[in-house]
Amino acid sequence: MTFDDADRPAKIARLTALLAARGADELVLTCTENLAWLFDGARVAVPFAGSPVLQATVTRDGAIRVDAHVNEAARLRDEELPGVDIRAIPWHSGFPTGPLVDTALVAELRAIRAVLLPVERQRYRDLGRDAAVAVSAVLHSVAPTSTEWEVAADLARAIVGIGADPVVILVGGESRRAVRHPLPTAAPLGRRAMIAVGVKRHGLVASLTRWVRFAPTADDALDAALLEVEAEAFAATRPSRPLTDVLADIAAAYPRHGLPPDSWEGHHQGGPAGYLGRDPKATPTTTDAVLAGSAYAWNPSVPGGKVEDTVIIDAEGVEVLTVDPAWPVTTVHGLRRPLPLDR
């Protein structure tokens, strides 16, 4: 693995500007999303969803101090944070703290992370393509008798095989089509199945949902309606708009396309993405503004249907990141969108 710190000076500049605005001398970063963002996507935890094994203090003059547990310091120095000075502390002690910690600046740091730098955008684009191709390869190999557990195991292997971490793996066969978050079970896939994954690499999380079917089902109209709702979600995600307004537009889109008006209440609709799978999840009270050059993963859904990809929203349009060029697609308002894979 190679490391590229070309984006770090720009990130430090964003942090020092925040410190100046706050009149503070230093900021302690303790959260996985902030540490991975600052350090070019370094793996800052050991369990996939574990707490960081280091913390970083950024000073107003742009200096960085890193503390790490003694059992992690050498590995971090050699493999994850080359060139960064790391102070080893006892594995059984807590990290030193400071007057200003990132947990007190959640919204501000979310906005600082949101607009992707060119190197981050390329990392995300590469991850999205690799994740989509990996999922496709698995779905081309499954059968109606494959169990959800078996498919999940194949997905985990494929994700790790592209140098990524599986953040979410959902597999829902025909018998569980009403389950919105189908954690895998021993159930067979049956005639139609949903697969949804969250994949992390370089700290960035790409989310996508795909469908596979082995016999005709009466879902074409449902799938088409959800793609129309998604198109309205993309159209609503315009720079400077608050997420409360975007979510309201998504909610209003369901009945326009023949779906129950309360569909949006049965499952979250997604939201901004990046160094978290949802950063944040859009709710009726989320006032964060849409920022051009930031990532989103909307997931309109109803029982038995869902569409989801990770995209970047620019002032001029939408770039879909999670794309396998060989996957079957249809065109919806000028954008190529996935169809179920017929096997």
Side-chain angles (χ1 to χ4, degrees):
M1 180 182 290
T2 60
F3 297 87
D4 182 355
D5 65 354
D7 53 344
R8 199 175 303 165
K11 292 172 179 177
I12 292 172
R14 293 181 187 179
L15 291 174
T16 55
L18 175 61
L19 283 168
R22 281 274 178 163
D25 293 326
E26 59 184 38
L27 170 64
V28 182
L29 301 180
T30 67
C31 298
T32 298
E33 60 271 23
N34 294 323
L35 291 164
W37 167 77
L38 177 60
F39 292 122
D40 320 309
R43 294 174 294 180
V44 299
V46 174
F48 286 158
S51 300
V53 295
L54 71 150
Q55 72 175 25
T57 302
V58 180
T59 67
R60 196 161 170 177
D61 62 3
I64 301 175
R65 302 194 308 270
V66 173
D67 295 292
H69 289 142
V70 66
N71 55 316
E72 304 291 347
R75 178 185 61 82
L76 290 168
R77 188 180 297 114
D78 294 342
E79 299 180 356
E80 301 293 335
L81 305 177
V84 175
D85 185 29
I86 298 175
R87 182 179 69 168
I89 64 172
W91 61 264
H92 51 80
S93 70
F95 288 111
T97 188
L100 187 60
V101 181
D102 57 359
T103 52
L105 302 175
V106 173
E108 292 96 326
L109 288 167
R110 219 158 43 204
I112 282 176
R113 292 192 306 269
V115 179
L116 299 167
L117 294 162
V119 67
E120 293 177 291
R121 187 165 182 148
Q122 188 58 51
R123 289 173 189 150
Y124 222 161
R125 188 180 288 126
D126 293 342
L127 170 61
R129 179 198 62 239
D130 291 349
V133 170
V135 169
S136 296
V138 170
L139 296 188
H140 275 93
S141 68
V142 300
T145 54
S146 299
T147 69
E148 295 169 353
W149 280 338
E150 290 169 339
V151 177
D154 290 343
L155 288 167
R157 179 182 178 86
I159 291 166
V160 175
I162 62 170
D165 294 338
V167 177
V168 175
I169 297 181
L170 303 177
V171 184
E174 182 179 15
S175 66
R176 301 176 67 230
R177 60 178 291 143
V179 180
R180 308 300 274 271
H181 277 155
L183 295 174
T185 71
L189 296 187
R191 293 182 303 166
R192 174 178 162 100
M194 182 189 82
I195 289 82
V197 299
V199 179
K200 180 192 285 188
R201 192 172 69 192
H202 297 305
L204 296 161
V205 180
S207 303
L208 67 150
T209 295
R210 295 292 183 266
W211 291 84
V212 60
R213 62 188 178 188
F214 303 93
T217 62
D219 294 295
D220 288 352
L222 175 64
D223 294 339
L226 286 171
L227 288 173
E228 290 290 342
V229 174
E230 182 196 53
E232 294 209 31
F234 291 153
T237 312
R238 293 292 92 208
S240 300
R241 296 196 75 207
L243 289 176
T244 50
D245 291 354
V246 178
L247 181 61
D249 286 352
I250 295 171
Y254 281 93
R256 278 199 290 271
H257 299 287
L259 299 172
D262 62 351
S263 294
W264 70 277
E265 296 188 79
H267 192 279
H268 75 82
Q269 302 299 295
Y275 289 87
L276 292 170
R278 298 294 186 270
D279 194 15
K281 192 178 294 180
T283 74
T285 59
T286 308
T287 57
D288 301 55
V290 174
L291 299 173
S294 56
Y296 290 81
W298 296 115
N299 50 251
S301 70
V302 295
K306 180 185 175 188
V307 59
E308 177 187 29
D309 273 300
T310 304
V311 306
I312 294 178
I313 301 290
D314 290 306
E316 62 275 11
V318 178
E319 177 186 359
V320 183
L321 300 178
T322 41
V323 173
D324 172 8
W327 188 269
V329 296
T330 186
T331 300
V332 181
H333 299 279
L335 202 63
R336 291 164 64 84
R337 303 303 300 125
L339 291 169
L341 175 67
D342 287 317
R343 293 285 315 285

